[in-house]
Amino acid sequence: MASLEEDMASKAAVPPGAAEEVGDAHLLGFSDEILLHILSHVPSTDLVLNVRPTCRKLAALCLDKSLVHTVLLQKDYQASEDKVKQLVKEIGQEIQQLNLAGCYWLSGSTIEHVARCRSLVRVNLSGCHLTSLRLSKVLSALEHLRSLAIDVNPGFDASQLSSECRATLSRVRELKQTLFTPSYGVVPCCPSLHKLLLYFEILDRTREGAVLSGQLMVGQSNVPHYQNLRVFYARLAPGYINQEVVRLYLAVLSDRTPENLHAFLISVPGSFAESGATKNLLESMARNVALDALQLPRSWLNGSTLLQNMKFNNPFYFSFSRCTLSGGHLIQRVINGGKDLRSLASLNLSGCVHCLSPDSLLRKAEDDIDSSILETLVASCCNLRHLNLSAAHHHSSEGLGRHLCQLLARLSQLRSLSLPVCSIADSARGPPAQPVMHAAPRGFGKKVRIGVQTSAGPFLGPAASQPASVFWSLLKSLHFLEHLELIGSNFSSAMPRNEPAIRNSLPPCSRAQNVGDSEVAAIGQLAFLRHLTLAQLPGLLTGSGLVNIGLQCQQLQSLSLANLGMMGKVVYMPALSSMLTHCRQLKDLRLEQPYFSANAQFFQALSHCASLQRLCLVSRSGTLQPDAVLSFMARCLQVVVCHMFTGDSLATCKSLQQSLLRSFQAERPALNVVIFPLLHEGLADVIRDVPMAHLDEVTLFKSRVAEEPPNLWW
């Protein structure tokens, strides 16, 4: 950004007579169309406050409709209170779409300035500090608003909303509402809703230990308006109260199903018992609507004939996560015996342990899949862009062209893919192959030089064209894959949601032992890879494949590593350090590994990640060096999230957290620091204060492929 501003400034200083001479060789010599494309990648605050004043040409271009009609401040961690106020003052009247999602560091008084953007059609205020009165003041001024996203926090009172605010809400067609307290929020005020997204994040107990009730606020209208609804989506965090409250929302739907409903999605962790009202709702949906997208709690689908009776119209998203859906039912009831489902873009079968096996539910984990079921799925859903098969044992039998990886290679349009580690192992059960670039012996206690290239290795030179495994061949076919997850079938994070840390974990699948450094190195083929998750790979010996990823996946932005190699020892530290020196675009790093030592060597390597913004470290019995953490934060000026959960004492953690906040809070308004012992009984109370954007995206581990329908929210 600085270099762009300097270039612009130098151009502005060129004498008029010399402008033509340097124009062709200078940035401003480009056409307006090209310049607008370049400027579209500049954060809005920098664009208006820094680039715009450099010269007259840029002053005009920076106010082009294509740049000022949509302002995205989400994850613009440098957007301070003053910058946001000045931005609204300069172009507020021109803004039609404003995204402030997750801007938790902005005060309520600053959020009030949104009321000056009177042309707003869409505004996202999720994660922002808003009381009922402030929300009323903002919405009262936005008569053109049609799309709204807000949080509903304890103390929310709909009776405080003014008549002008209610008039605005009556015209809103899209509402995304995150609930932190039992409430209908503003839903009863929105009779024109076409799309309703509900995120239930209510905790069962208050900070003082009092048990919360699902009883909604007395005096508030309790009749949501669903008659025009087309999309209903509800995602629940763990806890009985979230289930209790969502039932109240669903009760109205069960009375009268909207005629134009085409997407119905409910995401619930664990079990969610079916009630009489929900049975009526599902029966009504089966009779009266044809859906494009469907996700239901597993207990509603298991053993029922619902899918057989449901009608679908060019579906684009299915999620049967954690259901006992067998391969036979998948083919008969969903794919309708091989029916053409070219419209299907996203499919989530995570945790469906029987979905690639015959109808028998007596299948054992070590049993092989029925490749004909997968072949039918691939042939019918040939345009899939997002596929999740994680959290299951999908073992392939020996047979030419019948391996899971070979069949998935036909899905050339995939952009995101999540697989269990054991599913990519070759059918031949030999030890994992290792890249020959590491010819040094690998006995215990013997050092291996990582990242020093003396000659072209099998994945860095001519030999890279020689496939080493079926997984290598799969990735070669998926040219444009952007998101890849390899997650052990038995993996569970040590830090679950709203509960104490997990002290013990299940052993990995035996076939996962056959997946090693060569398979990891093969990921380096993915030139467009942006998001990578590797979890529970016991066959990793040195981590040498990580170096290849760092060298070749130059667009990598988020990296999540968990439980790599044998659990008792961190064997891949040298390789990880070498990898990180090449990750110039990396923004998010999550690392979960027992006995991990976050020492000076690690943080020195991490300092090369110039774009890093968020760091989360989870390590049972792990340690950290406070001085190394402080030095790292001083060098990496973009880092605003530092979450570390290790085996260090509470006193050590608190001291380091206070030092970080004292040293960097003033210059980094969005700074969020949590340093805490992983196995401390107070962990759940500490986690509840983490901003939802960070908690959901970085702090907690989960599979994200096909988690939601594509383009669910703008």
Side-chain angles (χ1 to χ4, degrees):
M1 181 62 224
S3 61
L4 176 61
E5 291 176 31
E6 291 169 3
D7 193 29
M8 301 298 191
S10 64
K11 174 62 181 177
V14 174
E20 293 183 8
E21 298 178 16
V22 301
D24 290 339
H26 194 278
L27 183 63
L28 291 184
F30 291 123
S31 67
D32 287 358
E33 184 180 3
I34 294 177
L35 285 174
L36 285 172
H37 179 72
I38 294 173
L39 293 172
S40 68
H41 295 279
V42 178
S44 297
T45 50
D46 283 331
L47 185 74
V48 174
L49 305 182
N50 297 328
V51 178
R52 184 182 167 214
T54 49
C55 69
R56 282 174 293 182
K57 181 172 183 177
L58 287 176
L61 287 176
C62 288
L63 294 181
D64 188 84
K65 291 181 180 179
S66 64
L67 299 179
V68 299
H69 277 189
T70 299
V71 173
L72 306 177
L73 298 181
Q74 181 187 29
K75 296 185 181 178
D76 183 357
Y77 300 117
Q78 307 304 317
S80 63
E81 304 254 7
D82 291 339
K83 285 183 178 180
V84 173
K85 292 177 182 177
Q86 188 64 25
L87 178 71
V88 170
K89 181 179 179 181
E90 297 283 345
I91 63 168
Q93 294 297 327
E94 308 297 327
I95 302 175
Q96 294 184 1
Q97 289 190 107
L98 177 61
N99 191 344
L100 285 166
C103 292
Y104 54 87
W105 62 92
L106 298 178
S107 66
S109 59
T110 298
I111 300 299
E112 276 190 25
H113 283 67
V114 173
R116 300 183 181 182
C117 306
R118 295 183 177 272
S119 299
L120 274 178
V121 178
R122 293 178 167 184
V123 64
N124 191 336
L125 300 174
S126 297
C128 296
H129 296 291
L130 271 179
T131 62
S132 307
L133 290 174
R134 280 205 167 100
L135 178 65
S136 179
K137 182 177 180 180
V138 170
L139 296 187
S140 295
L142 306 180
E143 61 181 27
H144 301 292
L145 195 67
R146 297 297 180 270
S147 180
L148 172 67
I150 59 169
D151 290 352
V152 177
N153 291 296
F156 178 85
D157 185 357
S159 66
Q160 295 180 337
L161 303 179
S162 67
S163 58
E164 293 82 4
C165 172
R166 291 175 181 272
T168 296
L169 289 170
S170 69
R171 296 184 288 269
V172 168
R173 295 189 175 187
E174 299 177 352
L175 176 64
K176 178 182 178 182
Q177 193 168 255
T178 304
L179 296 159
F180 294 94
T181 188
S183 173
Y184 283 115
V186 299
V187 174
C189 305
C190 304
S192 303
L193 283 181
H194 288 183
K195 178 186 288 188
L196 176 60
L197 276 57
L198 299 168
Y199 293 78
F200 295 86
E201 298 289 343
I202 312 166
L203 295 174
D204 292 343
R205 294 177 180 270
T206 65
R207 209 176 287 274
E208 294 75 26
V211 178
L212 287 176
S213 168
Q215 180 65 41
L216 300 188
M217 295 173 61
V218 178
Q220 176 185 327
S221 171
N222 61 354
V223 184
H225 299 276
Y226 293 142
Q227 59 265 33
N228 298 312
L229 208 60
R230 298 177 182 176
V231 176
F232 180 88
Y233 176 86
R235 193 186 80 179
L236 283 66
Y240 78 92
I241 193 168
N242 290 309
Q243 297 187 12
E244 188 177 344
V245 175
V246 77
R247 288 187 190 279
L248 296 172
Y249 278 85
L250 292 173
V252 180
L253 269 177
S254 65
D255 291 337
R256 181 182 177 186
T257 306
E259 296 178 358
N260 295 318
L261 189 69
H262 67 80
F264 186 77
L265 308 118
I266 302 180
S267 174
V268 182
S271 60
F272 183 38
E274 194 175 18
S275 65
T278 56
K279 286 182 179 179
N280 293 337
L281 169 61
L282 296 176
E283 290 173 0
S284 175
M285 287 171 53
R287 289 193 307 268
N288 302 318
V289 300
L291 297 176
D292 297 334
L294 176 68
Q295 178 177 8
L296 295 175
R298 63 185 183 187
S299 56
W300 296 12
L301 286 173
N302 291 346
S304 75
T305 59
L306 175 65
L307 288 178
Q308 200 167 357
N309 300 322
M310 197 72 72
K311 295 185 288 289
F312 300 108
N313 179 33
N314 296 321
F316 63 88
Y317 178 80
F318 284 144
S319 176
F320 303 112
S321 179
R322 305 288 174 178
C323 294
T324 57
L325 189 70
S326 69
H329 288 163
L330 178 66
I331 299 302
Q332 296 168 14
R333 299 179 181 179
V334 180
I335 305 178
N336 194 17
K339 179 183 177 183
D340 183 358
L341 281 180
R342 295 184 186 181
S343 60
L344 195 65
S346 186
L347 177 62
N348 190 337
L349 295 172
S350 64
C352 294
V353 297
H354 308 297
C355 69
L356 299 181
S357 301
D359 289 341
S360 173
L361 301 183
L362 301 177
R363 176 180 181 266
K364 299 178 181 178
E366 61 271 16
D367 292 343
D368 293 334
I369 64 172
D370 184 339
S371 57
S372 64
I373 293 174
L374 181 58
E375 197 164 14
T376 302
L377 176 66
V378 168
S380 302
C381 310
C382 57
N383 292 325
L384 272 178
R385 297 172 67 88
H386 314 282
L387 176 62
N388 194 327
L389 293 172
S390 65
H393 296 272
H394 295 316
H395 299 166
S396 298
S397 58
E398 296 185 34
L400 187 63
R402 310 295 286 176
H403 194 282
L404 177 140
C405 289
Q406 293 171 314
L407 295 173
L408 292 183
R410 302 176 188 176
L411 298 173
S412 58
Q413 297 192 48
L414 280 178
R415 295 298 182 270
S416 65
L417 176 64
S418 182
L419 294 174
V421 175
C422 56
S423 72
I424 70 169
D426 282 326
S427 299
R429 294 165 177 78
Q434 305 301 325
V436 298
M437 58 194 285
H438 303 285
R442 286 188 287 269
F444 290 105
K446 297 181 180 180
K447 296 182 178 179
V448 180
R449 294 193 69 191
I450 305 290
V452 179
Q453 306 303 324
T454 57
S455 62
F459 298 99
L460 299 175
S465 61
Q466 301 174 7
S469 65
V470 288
F471 182 60
W472 190 98
S473 301
L474 168 64
L475 298 188
K476 184 182 179 182
S477 303
L478 305 180
H479 305 290
F480 302 108
L481 198 68
E482 298 178 1
H483 190 162
L484 176 65
E485 296 178 346
L486 293 179
I487 304 175
S489 305
N490 294 331
F491 176 75
S492 58
S493 174
M495 199 170 69
R497 183 73 182 275
N498 300 339
E499 298 173 14
I502 296 176
R503 296 174 182 266
N504 300 307
S505 57
L506 294 174
C509 174
S510 59
R511 285 208 191 184
Q513 300 283 354
N514 298 331
V515 177
D517 292 315
S518 287
E519 283 75 17
V520 173
I523 297 172
Q525 299 177 87
L526 302 175
F528 298 99
L529 189 67
R530 294 176 180 270
H531 311 280
L532 175 63
T533 296
L534 301 174
Q536 201 179 43
L537 277 74
L540 210 73
L541 297 183
T542 65
S544 56
L546 295 173
V547 183
N548 206 41
I549 296 173
L551 283 168
Q552 298 185 228
C553 301
Q554 289 295 299
Q555 296 190 38
L556 191 64
Q557 294 184 2
S558 70
L559 176 64
S560 177
L561 304 176
N563 293 10
L564 303 186
M566 300 304 291
M567 292 295 289
K569 186 178 181 182
V570 183
V571 297
Y572 62 93
M573 176 67 92
L576 176 62
S577 297
S578 181
M579 174 196 190
L580 291 175
T581 61
H582 304 292
C583 296
R584 304 294 183 181
Q585 301 300 319
L586 192 66
K587 294 183 178 180
D588 297 337
L589 174 62
R590 187 186 191 277
L591 184 58
E592 179 170 343
Q593 186 78 33
Y595 304 101
F596 188 86
S597 176
N599 54 25
Q601 175 195 0
F602 168 71
F603 284 110
Q604 179 63 38
L606 193 57
S607 298
H608 288 85
C609 302
S611 302
L612 192 69
Q613 295 178 332
R614 301 191 289 188
L615 170 65
C616 179
L617 175 62
V618 180
S619 182
R620 178 169 47 84
S621 303
T623 59
L624 53 84
Q625 292 182 5
D627 290 344
V629 178
L630 287 164
S631 298
F632 158 73
M633 290 292 288
R635 288 192 300 267
C636 293
L637 305 180
Q638 303 297 319
V639 176
V640 294
V641 173
C642 183
H643 294 173
M644 297 185 183
F645 307 95
T646 66
D648 290 280
S649 68
L650 181 61
T652 299
C653 293
K654 281 189 173 182
S655 175
L656 177 56
Q657 178 172 318
Q658 292 169 0
S659 296
L660 289 170
L661 291 172
R662 187 168 53 249
S663 300
F664 305 108
Q665 183 81 70
E667 59 195 43
R668 305 181 200 184
L671 185 65
N672 184 256
V673 178
V674 181
I675 317 288
F676 204 76
L678 177 63
L679 299 182
H680 194 281
E681 59 183 8
L683 178 64
D685 290 332
V686 170
I687 290 298
R688 69 189 297 170
D689 292 327
V690 174
M692 186 55 58
H694 303 322
L695 185 67
D696 191 54
E697 296 173 11
V698 178
T699 312
L700 299 177
F701 181 96
K702 64 178 176 178
S703 176
R704 305 177 194 282
V705 172
E707 180 186 15
E708 295 179 342
N711 305 315
L712 183 62
W713 194 251
W714 54 276

